[in-house]
Amino acid sequence: MARRPGRAALTVLSVALAAALFSALLTISRTAQVRVLDQLAEGGPLAGIEVAPAAPDPSQVDEDEAEPGAPRDLDDRALRRIAALPDVRTVVPLISTRVAVAPPDPIELADGTTVTTEGRFGRDGGPQGVLFETLVGADVRHADDLPVSVLAGRLPRPGSTTEVAVATTWLARFGLDRTDAARMLGLELEVGAPRFFGDGIRSRWTRMQVVGVVAQQASAGALLAPIEAVRPARAWSLAGGADAGFGLSSSPYSGAFAVARSLDRVAEARNGIEDVGYSTSAPENLIASVQRYLRVVEIVLAGIGLIALAIATLGITNALLAAVRERRREIGVLKAIGARDRDVLRLFLVEAGVLGLLGGLLGTLLGLSLASLVGVVVNGYLRSQGLVGVHPELPLTVAAAGVLGAGVLAVVAGAPPARRAARLPAREAVEA
Amino acid sequence: MRRVVSVASGLVAVATVALAGTAGCSPGERAAAPAATRSPTQETYVSVGADDTLGVGLDRPLIDEWPKVLFRTALPRTTVFVNAADRGATVADALADQVPLAVGLRPTLVTVWLNLDDLEAGTPVATYERRLAELVHALRRDGATRVLVANTPRIESAPPATVAGYNAAIARVVRAEGAELVDLHGADVDAPSVSHPSAAGHARIAQAFAAALRRSDVSARQYGR
């Protein structure tokens, strides 16, 4: 290799390009898989399960979107029983309550433009200049276990009573779409929980600042706040009598979001929760089907990459055959001074292995860089559409397999010329 | 050959470290939960009154009523606000309905504007003063609550002497109970006769209450902005 550095470099380059193709295809495939499954799980963990404050309907067993049965209070005791199930990793309680929201009109957004809610009340709107929305409370310390994706800003701080995140449905109230999400940040809202008194309604008002815009499917509602902020509001409304025209049930919690220990244990987790007595829903069947199809795509792309690698390693065979011809005298001298056939064999196999490993490693790095570059371009488009971006990643095991695979293929490709060199008679080689 | 292998081994080592650093990284789009915050002591503000405390007559009472304006502009963001006012409430009505609600909320600030309906009902000044003293005393909760009491604004339909009598009674009650006086009579607010204050009038009323709040040294420490 030292005698023909150019030939060695070209050989390494061909293996590197093939390895780059292999790793780039696998990275893109794996990233797309993660993104598609993430979308199916609506930003939450794949093994997420929605728990409703209702008994399970026997006719809806095994359905992804099971219709709940009769209402049933979901309280702390029930949550402890669910959390104790062997197949459940975490359970996050949810509280939701109806509120009146009094934004200032016209609304000054962060960039100085103004929008108004005039004429945008819709079906849930009302008089007196306020909108009616559902305020969802969750323990945001477990944000990673909830189907919530941040589009702009951040989630409210745990324990805060003055911070709120608005969902995409809130943007529609002002005629805005996802691309305008950041314009909502900093908006001051007055949020009032209504309570029925014999002679009318009185509201408990708090002021909250919009710190984030989210896409959330934890519970139906346009506003997301820490559970500590929502609990007293709901208690105020319920003190006027459950379902006093506000659509509230007497259940301490409006629902919960459980996460199974793995995707394979979602069915068992759902069965366990239903045995506790609550209806569940989870996209497990849909996710399983999509995973199967995506795995086929991954296998095909990996096959294409492996074919490219195999073709590249043929270059190693060609290079080593040429090297054997050029180094016949050297081989003869080695044998004349005592080198055995297997020593010569090992010499050429190591050369082949080094070329393969080097090419594999450089190519894997190059492939990951290419995939990252593609990710930057794709993210630019996705974010311009107000969508969540992607994060190209290649598992370490796959990267290592690519590198080692290139090395192994190179050794296999180098075996014929190495055997030829090993079998050269010493006298014949010296006289060449 | 040895030199080639050693160089290649070095490159392999460097590249492996680089690969391990990049492969498998996955910065999530889901933002990590921000650090928890300790909520400051919650302030609770309750308004006690009648029609003009409810913003009757306004297009957007839940936004433009003066207690809401006060809540929005003069109090900390952590404040919780409940408007306990009732339509047509006299002091006697408020004692029966609004005071139990307000006291139950353990407020740190209460505003009181109860005189127009007593005037209309012809409540004698002495009776009005006695009931008002009982109301303010209950709301003060032995000094735990800051109470702002508004006097009677200039009203064309009410005899000036009667208004003066009411305002003198209010001043006496405020002094005796350690409350704060909000001088609507001297302020330039829309005085209701047959109509209720406009949105601009409510804003001026809120300013009058805010000024009273600021005047108190204790209020400035609790609610200063």
Side-chain angles (χ1 to χ4, degrees), chain B residues 33 39 45 70 108 145 162 165 186 204 216:
Chain B
S39 296
Y45 162 46
L70 183 71
T108 50
T145 304
T162 309
R204 285 194 287 274
S216 164

Side-chain angles (χ1 to χ4, degrees), chain B residues 106-216:
Chain B
R106 290 186 289 194
T108 50
L109 172 69
V110 175
T111 57
V112 178
W113 186 9
L114 287 165
N115 35 57
L116 300 178
D117 288 281
D118 279 281
L119 267 174
E120 198 171 311
T123 305
V125 172
T127 305
Y128 173 78
E129 182 172 352
R130 177 173 48 79
R131 289 173 179 166
L132 184 65
E134 184 183 344
L135 181 140
V136 175
H137 182 80
L139 290 174
R140 280 280 285 154
R141 298 194 306 131
D142 296 325
T145 304
R146 173 72 49 190
V147 178
L148 306 182
V149 184
N151 60 12
T152 313
R154 298 175 204 280
I155 309 174
E156 294 171 358
S157 59
T162 309
V163 170
Y166 265 52
N167 284 348
I170 292 169
R172 287 191 293 272
V173 168
V174 164
R175 271 196 305 274
E177 297 296 334
E180 300 289 334
L181 179 68
V182 181
D183 185 14
L184 294 185
H185 188 79
D188 180 21
V189 299
D190 287 351
S193 54
V194 294
S195 62
H196 299 287
S198 63
H202 275 268
R204 285 194 287 274
I205 294 168
Q207 285 170 7
F209 274 89
L213 202 58
R214 283 192 299 272
R215 273 197 303 272
S216 164

Side-chain angles (χ1 to χ4, degrees), chain A residues 1-2 38 43-44 102-103 105 128-130 140-141 143-144 146 148-150 154-162 188 190 197 199 202-207 209 236 347 350-351 354 358 361 364-365 368 383 388-389 391-396 399 403, chain B residues 1 4-5 8 11-16 18-20 22-39 42 59-63 65 68 71-86 97-98 101 105 225:
Chain A
M1 282 199 302
D38 198 48
D105 192 6
Q128 306 185 25
V130 298
V140 291
R141 279 179 290 254
D144 281 350
L146 291 172
V148 176
S149 299
V150 177
R154 58 173 174 81
L155 290 173
R157 290 190 177 88
S160 172
T161 57
T162 60
E188 289 269 343
E190 293 166 14
F197 289 80
D199 56 349
R202 294 187 174 96
S203 294
R204 176 186 181 278
W205 293 93
T206 55
R207 286 162 57 201
Q209 185 178 49
W236 169 265
L347 174 71
V350 168
E351 279 191 28
V354 167
L358 196 56
L361 198 55
T364 299
L365 280 175
L368 197 58
R383 286 182 179 135
V388 177
H391 300 282
E393 63 172 77
L394 183 66
L396 198 57
V403 173
Chain B
M1 180 60 200
V4 170
V5 172
L11 282 172
V12 166
V14 169
T16 301
L19 191 61
T22 54
C25 289
S26 151
E29 189 71 9
R30 270 200 306 284
T37 184
R38 171 182 285 180
S39 296
Q42 181 180 288
D59 290 336
R60 305 182 312 172
L62 294 181
I63 295 175
E65 62 186 15
K68 182 60 75 68
F71 162 66
R72 181 184 310 131
T73 61
L75 300 178
R77 184 183 286 156
T78 53
T79 304
V80 173
F81 163 58
V82 175
N83 192 342
D86 264 333
D97 300 323
Q98 299 182 43
L101 171 63
L105 290 170
R225 296 170 73 83

